Amino acid sequence: MPPALRRLQLGFRLLSAVSTRLAFRAAWRVFTTPRRLLPKKWEAAALQEARGFAVPFGAGALAAYEWGAAAAPTVLLVHGWEHRASFWGAFARGLVAAGYRVVAFDGPAHGASPGRRTTLPEYGAAVQAVAEAVGPVWGVVAHSFGAAATAGLPVSFNGGQALPRLVLLSVPGSTPAVFQRFAELLQLSDLVLSHLLAFVEARGGRQVESFSLTRPGHAVPARRALLFHDQADDTIPFAEAEAIARHWPGLDFRPTTGLGHNRIMRDAAVIGQAVAFLRADEAGN
């Protein structure tokens, strides 16, 4: 266990002994504050051929990037928690080679976009802002937290029409389960967890469960959807993907093996299958 995590756990145990409310406030701050990870060697190459632009959002603007011909069908890439647009380099190259215009952006409090904290609804609003700025959108490829924001809120595309194609990677199925895993990681008390859930529901005006893709009848903004999830994912249990597939009629579910939570974004076989799925019946459907 990393020493920093041990210190956090100890700090929350001590804080909870003093005040549940103070422990809740500190937990919410941690939950909504993504780390700014150091750039990886391959990220710079991913953005070398991209055209940078800004999308107005709130009081500032989101950093966004575009690859491929401007007149080609648009595929929007939505990154996950603590990632950024440059993490999509392999996917962007595959999509451009297939003839698509590719757009990616840094979410609020991520990458070159402003802010220090963000939430699922705010991230979804950012996806909405980018989709409206670059639309119409033919397809979306979204990973993890970004996939949850896109399909869980859900985001509306193309003036409220159903999105033709949606590809989800490593998406959490149950929103309450996300909070439960967070509480277990930091060893938060049940009372602190209850405060977190109650706060989220009061702030958003909807139940936490309403964001879950495992909820029967959940409205998804796509005519056709494809889900990749690795059986060895150590961040989002594979069982959640199986549950999504059970509750989502018509979903194309394709398990992977040995890719984990993040390498699935750079796997050539996954990218090839996603491209084929996006191109299927493109002219008439």
Side-chain angles (χ1 to χ4, degrees), residues 15 38-39 52 80 92 94 103 108 111 126 134-135 151 158 184 207 211 215 245 255 266:
L15 196 56
L38 292 175
V103 174
V134 305
N158 304 331
E184 292 172 355
Q207 294 182 333
F211 297 99
R215 184 171 61 88
R266 303 186 294 275

Side-chain angles (χ1 to χ4, degrees), residues 67-69 72-75 95-96 98-102 138 275 278-279 282:
W67 298 260
T74 299
V75 175
L95 289 166
V96 170
Y100 289 100
R101 171 200 184 205
V102 179
W138 168 258
V275 167
L278 288 163
R279 297 183 73 171
E282 186 173 305

Side-chain angles (χ1 to χ4, degrees), residues 7 18 41 49 94 99 103 111 117 152 157 184 190 203 276 281 283:
R7 290 193 294 270
V18 175
K41 293 181 180 179
E49 297 182 2
V103 174
R117 300 170 64 182
F157 294 95
E184 292 172 355
D190 291 343
R203 180 174 178 166
D281 300 326

Side-chain angles (χ1 to χ4, degrees), residues 186-209:
L186 297 186
Q187 297 183 354
L188 303 178
S189 69
D190 291 343
L191 196 54
V192 172
L193 176 58
S194 296
H195 273 64
L196 278 172
L197 295 174
F199 176 75
V200 170
E201 293 185 345
R203 180 174 178 166
R206 56 190 284 187
Q207 294 182 333
V208 172
E209 177 61 27

Side-chain angles (χ1 to χ4, degrees), residues 28 57 108 118-128 145 148-149 153 155 200 203-204 206 211:
W28 179 245
F57 184 71
T118 192
T119 62
L120 186 74
E122 183 185 46
Y123 199 95
V127 178
Q128 186 77 64
F145 178 75
L153 290 177
V155 174
V200 170
R203 180 174 178 166
R206 56 190 284 187
F211 297 99

Side-chain angles (χ1 to χ4, degrees), residues 34-92:
R35 297 170 299 168
R36 297 278 186 163
L37 301 178
L38 292 175
K40 301 181 185 297
K41 293 181 180 179
W42 41 264
E43 288 186 70
L47 299 181
Q48 281 181 350
E49 297 182 2
R51 299 179 293 277
F53 64 102
V55 176
F57 184 71
L62 300 168
Y65 308 87
E66 179 185 35
W67 298 260
T74 299
V75 175
L76 174 62
L77 306 179
V78 185
H79 69 74
W81 189 252
E82 298 181 338
H83 285 192
R84 44 197 166 240
S86 51
F87 276 57
W88 285 114
F91 238 107

